[in-house]
Amino acid sequence: MPVTSGTAAGDERLIAAARTLMDMVNASFDGASCADRPCVLPEGVTWANMLSLAITHSLDAASWPYVQGRSDIPEKVRSAWERRSQLSLFRHVRMDAEREAVFAELDRAGIAYMPLRGTLIANYYPCPEMRTMSDNDFLYGYVECDGQGVYRGLGSNDTARARNAERAMLAVRDVFAGRGYEVKNLRGGNHDSYHKEPCYNFEPHRHLITPTGPHGFYYENPWRLAKPVHEGGLRFAMDATDEYIYTVVHAYKHVVGSGLGLRIVADVRAFWACRGDAMDEGRLVHELDVLGLVEFERALRWLAQDGPQACEECDSAKNLFEYLARCGAYGTREQGIANRLSAVAGKAGPLGGPAGKVDARARVHYVLGRLVDREVIEASFPHASRVRLLLPALVVIRAVRGFARHPKRLARELGQVLRSR
């Protein structure tokens, strides 16, 4: 049974349990025993609650090294926790082998690729299997060097680069089709999606960040931030500073989108512990300032390095921690709706700040934004959306099709919008 936040008392219990969970994760990182770190459960919270919360935040494997030393955990809960930790190890072993096989085929196809996010961050944890994995993310494309050591997508102009990006996408699709994968998404959003049983999920990225988003300008040419791992090779990597900046940017995208869970705090701790010495902190601060993410990164790093006690020292860290605790690893649809409404109304964000009011204007703005979402329309109608005169008709078709396919979900969304204050 999960720890819920439906009431004021439930919310307090959730935040207290989340602090205890992060204390356990930090104890696992430090190799501390239960004698060193008692980690007393909050009043009204059971070990079953703690396991449920750990799963919600994808921290079950990260907390297991500490939990396995406890003698006061019911056997049923202990066994379930251990099974999940073993499953994480199993997935890592299989994913690592499959990923390298896929990359070998990309090499043969002449396609450049750069592993991203969890694929890399898992290796910064004390043990890779402590970091639960769901997807294998990587950037791909045909690339060229401009002669000054800076890489970019292949092509002399935007049209040529777009044509080569399409060729690369089809070539990658053929690689996955040849390995028995099912196409889950092609051309939609920033990445494609492929799945194969029992546990293989790949998300090959055409872009690192939505081009029309607030940080799209920074990643217009993501290859400029990377270099080949081996001279003349097709596997690319960013340096520690740029990899960390992208980790922060990607986290922020989710935080202000549908929410993000506490695993990002563990990720940041792992990153600094493993790669902190390679960071250029002067450049880091400058680039974060360009991106408008200095305060967000500071709060995130404070939580990662000081643990939950940072909440007592910094209001922005406290606000961020409590927000993450309520969201879960991948956020929720309800949180996404609330965040979009808040952005329109100028309400306080995850770091706190002045609050606005969700009025009739904000609700109308939200509904229109959902109806006329250019990015979604282009993904849904990749060819027809290129004809401007067809856009009004595509908006109507998408709306009608959406209500026909998901009437209950959209009715709930509309109800939440109308009830918001």
Side-chain angles (χ1 to χ4, degrees):
M1 179 179 177
V3 184
T4 61
S5 59
T7 64
D11 192 61
E12 288 182 11
R13 194 158 49 243
L14 170 65
I15 300 304
R19 289 191 178 201
T20 301
L21 174 62
M22 290 310 299
D23 284 338
M24 292 177 180
V25 171
N26 287 329
S28 292
F29 269 83
D30 296 335
S33 67
C34 53
D36 299 326
R37 310 268 183 92
C39 294
V40 178
L41 298 192
E43 183 178 354
V45 175
T46 67
W47 279 108
N49 294 150
M50 291 303 299
L51 173 57
S52 178
L53 185 64
I55 293 171
T56 297
H57 288 275
S58 292
L59 289 171
D60 41 317
S63 53
W64 172 247
Y66 170 82
V67 167
Q68 66 179 330
R70 300 281 302 226
S71 60
D72 56 341
I73 302 178
E75 185 56 36
K76 183 177 179 181
V77 175
R78 174 188 295 278
S79 296
W81 216 314
E82 183 177 18
R83 280 196 303 273
R84 294 192 65 86
S85 177
Q86 292 171 343
L87 178 61
S88 179
L89 175 59
F90 167 80
R91 288 173 65 89
H92 269 277
V93 170
R94 299 196 69 163
M95 280 186 172
D96 287 350
E98 180 68 8
R99 187 187 314 115
E100 291 309 310
V102 168
F103 288 166
E105 296 208 27
L106 295 180
D107 276 319
R108 287 192 287 272
I111 300 170
Y113 56 93
M114 179 164 63
L116 301 170
R117 301 202 301 268
T119 301
L120 301 171
I121 292 174
N123 294 308
Y124 308 152
Y125 276 63
C127 302
E129 63 270 19
M130 285 176 62
R131 212 274 186 181
T132 54
M133 295 284 292
S134 55
D135 302 316
N136 289 273
D137 297 270
F138 64 91
L139 180 70
Y140 72 92
Y142 293 118
V143 303
E144 62 183 358
C145 186
D146 66 0
Q148 298 180 351
V150 178
Y151 288 83
R152 66 184 182 191
L154 179 64
S156 58
N157 53 50
D158 289 345
T159 301
R161 282 190 284 272
R163 186 166 57 248
N164 286 320
E166 178 77 8
R167 281 200 308 119
M169 182 191 68
L170 296 177
V172 169
R173 181 195 63 184
D174 291 344
V175 166
F176 281 104
R179 298 190 63 81
Y181 280 78
E182 175 188 1
V183 179
K184 306 297 288 187
N185 175 57
L186 200 65
R187 296 189 177 87
N190 298 324
H191 60 78
D192 308 320
S193 297
Y194 298 92
H195 173 75
K196 182 173 73 172
E197 294 295 342
C199 61
Y200 304 122
N201 296 291
F202 280 82
E203 292 190 349
H205 286 247
R206 298 179 301 280
H207 309 282
L208 289 185
I209 291 291
T210 304
T212 56
H215 301 126
F217 74 94
Y218 192 84
Y219 291 103
E220 182 180 4
N221 172 23
W223 297 103
R224 71 179 175 86
L225 302 170
K227 293 282 188 290
V229 173
H230 303 292
E231 187 174 353
L234 292 171
R235 183 173 186 145
F236 281 67
M238 291 183 269
D239 66 21
T241 305
D242 286 316
E243 185 188 338
Y244 179 69
I245 290 169
Y246 176 58
T247 299
V248 172
V249 169
H250 183 261
Y252 183 79
K253 182 196 80 167
H254 282 291
V255 164
V256 299
S258 295
L260 188 66
L262 291 166
R263 184 177 63 180
I264 184 58
V265 178
D267 284 352
V268 170
R269 172 172 177 168
F271 202 110
W272 278 95
C274 184
R275 304 209 68 190
D277 290 344
M279 300 280 277
D280 181 339
E281 293 206 49
R283 185 162 71 86
L284 172 63
V285 172
H286 176 269
E287 299 302 312
L288 289 173
D289 187 49
V290 169
L291 291 159
L293 294 177
V294 171
E295 184 182 4
F296 173 72
E297 190 276 335
R298 183 184 297 125
L300 190 55
R301 199 190 326 177
W302 205 328
L303 289 173
Q305 296 182 339
D306 286 13
Q309 56 267 34
C311 297
E312 313 304 329
E313 305 162 1
C314 173
D315 285 343
S316 60
K318 177 177 183 291
N319 291 331
L320 180 59
F321 181 85
E322 293 182 357
Y323 175 84
L324 297 174
R326 296 183 184 104
C327 286
Y330 303 105
T332 65
R333 183 177 297 277
E334 292 74 20
Q335 188 64 56
I337 295 167
N339 285 349
R340 286 193 291 271
L341 277 168
S342 295
V344 172
K347 293 186 72 174
L351 298 184
K357 181 180 180 182
V358 179
D359 54 15
R361 180 195 65 83
R363 295 188 186 95
V364 170
H365 192 286
Y366 174 91
V367 172
L368 290 176
R370 287 282 281 125
L371 287 172
V372 192
D373 189 325
R374 186 65 180 265
E375 184 182 344
V376 175
I377 290 172
E378 288 177 354
S380 302
F381 309 99
H383 301 297
S385 61
R386 296 174 185 171
V387 183
R388 286 197 168 208
L389 292 176
L390 292 178
L391 288 178
L394 297 180
V395 169
V396 174
I397 291 170
R398 175 173 168 263
V400 171
R401 189 170 69 179
F403 272 102
R405 291 177 176 176
H406 311 289
K408 292 182 180 179
R409 191 178 76 189
L410 291 175
R412 285 195 300 271
E413 178 177 349
L414 185 58
Q416 181 178 342
V417 170
L418 295 175
R419 290 191 303 271
S420 296
R421 295 290 182 268

